[in-house]
């Protein structure tokens, strides 16, 4: 617990009501959505203006208190777990103003605590579109999305959060305001620090505001489900769609285990005997949508989908996507612990990856349901287990190791969108190199000499 | 000149034929396309493999020789001008292999010395599309494009080089190989060092290879020219097109001065009395193109274009774009010195920016032709002068100062696509902040302690 004098200093900056010292309050911010040990922070501080935010950062640095900035705590890799050495959690939920939505120049300026879905809705009201749609968008914050480079279902066609960050103003560890990027589409003034901040998981600076790119929305869309009696056929369909030069806005995969868990959960009458289903949506100009949908159906028939369901209207489309929306909730309720991974491979390697995941599940006698974003090779092998069962959890850890090894051997990556955080930093060198870790640590040391910006994340302690 | 012993060491790495010591050879690499003093390097080295490249970097660092990596030397901000303190130029023109074009997974892996247009052509042969099209693409290299985050005409719809960099392997200053990014669309493993490398102008590392994103090409396109008797109407047209949710692939602007220089040069019969012309091209699905073109024409008529010429076929389209292609050559031949700027503003500020440029030209009694990418606010005010005329050149320097001041006051940026280099580093703090410069310098010092990676660029000496 920080000294009474230090607490008073924080109170002087943000007001008494925004400094939380009680055990119960601090407990609430001790964990995130990763399967990792909770760490209770020494203090929780909630700035209500960005000016206060800068002062809080400076105060923490002066006193050597590690900072973990927290939006909604939906992080899946432990990025929002505080530091055990007098760690302070800074909440962004009062920094939730949409400062500007510029319809002429297609950008918005936001504070870091704005909730993703709320922002997307405000943008939509003005006839525009903010595409990034991480699974947690209903509660996640834009600051968190940027810090993690959040992905989502639309990655293949629309890219990820990184592709929408035009500029960032952030506080350096001394509370100085660093300005990077611009309100213009093109900007090469200085280092691309906005690019560096994306996915830096709070370890290099604290966001004050973010400039996000907006685009015109698609005019039309069409969704369909395809059922396969063979995982390879599903994957051939994905390759065939890309080869036909169709870029669907979403192209989702579910394996048999996931289909069955979802069907148990929803009683939706899903094809339980299918080895895989694909959920496909194309969007854009109405003429293009019709043509793309036709091309997709042709590919699906050619590779031998056993069934193709095309949604005829918005209600049918909603129903079609229900299976996908329920994938994670259905899997999560099957067992006490859900280990949601996001090893990612070039899309042509999906059959090899799915086969390897199933082999690994059999080898370690554990349950894995796999679903995910087939279009961009971003799979979510989801391990269903009980963490209290030590023997089982050891097998789970071995399985995760092997999943990463396979992903890397297929030219893939440890993490497509969930971040490295604390959960995966030990594997970092395997994917990159010793020089990469040293380069990163050197840079971090220079930017944060006291190592107080979310320590222990990405490159370890 | 480095010692004979050191030259021998370089020769041992790259072979005798790839170390250039003669005055004539060194002179050839003393300048680039910026209007700045030439600096003759102490030595020029041409590695023929990336392994050699890493060894050359290490050798330079060990000996404290500043490195300037050079592709085609088309840099417009002095980024390829060597350092006067025993600077060594490393040529990438023998590192020009396209390692892979992956049609299934829509990426390519290239060495840094591959020429942009050659790469785009190879990609096109396989039915795919690499959109970034900087003006110098016929000779510029992909490594240089990435180091500068090169833009081009397609920025508005397709983005810039940054948006196509999926991964980079680069040598740190010690010759260690740093691996960042992936062959997958989604990757959040470690810091976004690939993002940091983009636009870093050779000051943080030396590229070994680059993974670039490819997309399917548009099916169809349509081009037109619109003539205006008032710059504001041209700008209203740009705003109207965006408001109609049309995103043209190119949306180019030329002012009266540029039109007249081009017409003098080409005798193409351009509308010499027009205050401005817009050159507009829409692309995509044929149905969308037809609809977009119709919307654009409607906007052009509404704001009062005095003439609209729609290209009926490829030959007419080629002719239409000839005016734009000739803008820079026509301006460049008017006077001995061409100062090509790229101050960039949010697109809605174009009328204010064009007016300010004309006022500044009048105030300092100098000739400025302005053309550029209206869709993304990236204008090229081009000052025509004679550098040997000291009095005039002083006025030019004042004018450039004022152009930047106006751009910044309009929420714009110093440089949309030409880079900071040596030419603009003195203005950096004005756009950003003291903390930004300090943050950048700290980072640079940690990554390059001896300050040998292209010193003097971006953040000054």
């Amino acid at each position: 617990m920080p000294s009474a004098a230090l607490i008073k200093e924080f109170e002087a900056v943000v007001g008494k009501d925004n400094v939380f010292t009680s055990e119960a309050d601090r407990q609430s911010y001790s964990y995130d959505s990763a399967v990792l040990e909770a760490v209770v922070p020494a203090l929780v501080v909630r700035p209500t203006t960005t000016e206060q935010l800068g002062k809080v950062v400076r105060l923490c640095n002066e006193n050597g208190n590690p900072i973990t900035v927290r939006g909604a705590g939906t992080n899946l890799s432990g990025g929002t777990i505080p530091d055990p050495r007098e760690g302070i959690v800074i909440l962004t939920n009062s920094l939730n103003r949409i400062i500007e939505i510029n319809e002429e120049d297609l950008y918005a300026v936001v504070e870091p605590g704005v909730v993703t879905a709320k922002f997307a809705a405000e943008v939509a009201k003005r006839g525009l579109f903010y595409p990034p749609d991480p699974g947690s968008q209903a509660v996640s914050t834009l600051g968190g999305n940027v810090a993690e480079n959040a992905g989502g279902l639309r990655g293949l066609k629309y890219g990820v959060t990184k592709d929408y960050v035009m500029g960032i103003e952030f506080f350096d560890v001394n509370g100085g305001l660093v300005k990077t990027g611009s309100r213009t589409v093109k900007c090469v003034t200085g280092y691309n620090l906005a690019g560096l901040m994306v996915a830096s998981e709070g370890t290099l600076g604290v966001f004050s505001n973010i400039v996000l790119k907006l685009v015109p929305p698609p005019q039309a869309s069409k969704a369909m489900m395809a059922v396969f009696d063979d995982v390879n056929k599903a994957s051939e369909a994905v390759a065939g769609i890309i080869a036909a030069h169709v870029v669907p806005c979403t192209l989702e995969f579910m394996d048999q285990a996931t289909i069955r868990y979802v069907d148990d959960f929803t009683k939706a009458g899903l094809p339980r005997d299918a080895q895989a289903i694909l959920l496909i949506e194309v969007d854009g100009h109405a003429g293009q949508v019709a043509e793309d949908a036709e091309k997709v159906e042709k590919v699906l028939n050619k590779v031998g989908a056993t069934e193709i369901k095309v949604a005829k209207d918005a209600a049918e489309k909603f129903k079609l996507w229900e299976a996908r929306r329920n994938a994670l909730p259905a899997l999560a309720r099957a067992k006490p612990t859900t280990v949601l991974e996001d090893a990612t491979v070039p899309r042509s390697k999906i059959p090899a990856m799915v086969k390897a995941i199933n082999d690994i599940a059999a080898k370690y006698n554990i349950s894995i349901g796999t679903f995910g974003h087939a279009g961009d090779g971003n799979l979510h092998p989801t391990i269903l287990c009980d963490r209290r069962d030590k023997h089982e959890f050891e097998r789970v850890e071995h399985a995760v190791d092997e999943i990463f090894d396979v992903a890397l051997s297929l030219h893939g990556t440890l993490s497509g969108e969930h971040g490295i955080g604390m959960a995966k930093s030990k594997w970092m060198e395997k994917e990159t190199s010793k020089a990469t870790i040293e380069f990163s640590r050197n840079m971090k040391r220079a930017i944060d000499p006291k190592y107080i910006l979310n320590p222990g994340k990405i490159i370890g302690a």
Side-chain angles (χ1 to χ4, degrees), chain A residues 59-93:
Chain A
L59 211 48
C60 289
N61 191 44
E62 281 169 3
N63 286 282
N65 288 100
I67 291 171
T68 298
V69 179
R70 185 183 177 100
T74 54
N75 193 295
L76 285 156
S77 52
T80 23
I81 295 182
D83 195 83
R85 293 152 298 185
E86 297 279 295
I88 292 180
V89 168
I90 301 180
L91 302 179
T92 62
N93 55 341

Side-chain angles (χ1 to χ4, degrees), chain A residues 69 112 142 167 214 226 228 233 307 311 321 354 374 405 408 461:
Chain A
V69 179
L142 291 167
L214 306 175
F228 298 90
K233 286 183 190 169
E307 196 192 340
W321 281 103
V354 170
D405 281 341
L408 295 183

Side-chain angles (χ1 to χ4, degrees), chain A residues 184-196:
Chain A
T184 57
V185 176
K186 287 174 174 171
C187 171
V188 292
T189 297
Y191 289 116
N192 178 18
L193 300 179
L196 178 63

Side-chain angles (χ1 to χ4, degrees), chain A residues 17 19-30 40-41 44 91:
Chain A
D17 291 351
V19 178
F20 305 96
T21 55
S22 81
E23 176 76 17
D25 280 335
R26 290 182 292 119
Q27 284 279 3
S28 314
Y29 303 109
S30 62
V40 180
V44 178
L91 302 179

Side-chain angles (χ1 to χ4, degrees), chain A residues 347-390:
Chain A
R347 71 177 73 79
S348 66
K349 308 293 192 224
I350 288 176
M353 191 70 207
V354 170
K355 187 184 176 310
I357 291 169
N358 291 336
D359 290 349
I360 291 166
K363 176 176 171 186
Y364 290 106
N365 185 29
I366 54 174
S367 300
I368 307 184
T370 299
F371 64 98
H373 320 305
D376 51 32
N378 179 200
L379 293 176
H380 293 308
T382 305
I383 307 177
L384 312 175
C385 56
D386 185 342
R387 207 188 173 184
R388 294 161 302 186
D389 179 344
K390 274 195 176 172

Side-chain angles (χ1 to χ4, degrees), chain A residues 69-232:
Chain A
V69 179
R70 185 183 177 100
T74 54
N75 193 295
L76 285 156
S77 52
T80 23
I81 295 182
D83 195 83
R85 293 152 298 185
E86 297 279 295
I88 292 180
V89 168
I90 301 180
L91 302 179
T92 62
N93 55 341
S94 292
L95 302 170
N96 59 356
R97 281 160 285 252
I98 298 173
I99 297 166
E100 184 186 1
I101 296 180
N102 191 313
E103 294 163 56
E104 280 182 291
D105 294 322
L106 300 180
Y107 70 80
V109 186
V110 298
E111 289 184 344
V114 173
V115 170
T116 315
K118 216 170 156 181
F119 173 67
E122 284 301 318
V123 166
K125 273 187 204 163
R126 286 160 182 80
L128 291 172
F129 184 34
Y130 177 71
D133 59 344
S136 53
Q137 60 181 321
V139 293
S140 72
T141 63
L142 291 167
N145 293 171
V146 173
E148 298 292 323
N149 190 15
L153 275 64
R154 298 194 184 108
L156 170 60
K157 177 165 181 178
Y158 289 100
V160 295
T161 303
K162 177 177 72 173
D163 301 304
Y164 294 85
V165 175
M166 294 170 70
I168 300 178
E169 290 188 4
F170 65 90
F171 293 107
D172 66 24
V173 81
N174 304 308
L177 193 61
V178 178
K179 296 179 184 188
T180 165
S182 177
R183 282 161 167 77
T184 57
V185 176
K186 287 174 174 171
C187 171
V188 292
T189 297
Y191 289 116
N192 178 18
L193 300 179
L196 178 63
M197 285 296 125
V198 173
S200 66
E201 304 191 0
T203 64
L204 300 176
V206 176
F207 306 155
S208 171
N209 72 53
I210 303 160
V211 185
L212 293 169
K213 178 177 154 181
L214 306 175
V215 295
Q219 280 178 10
S221 68
K222 200 164 194 177
M224 62 187 89
M225 179 172 84
V227 181
F228 298 90
D229 57 10
D230 179 345
V231 172
N232 284 311

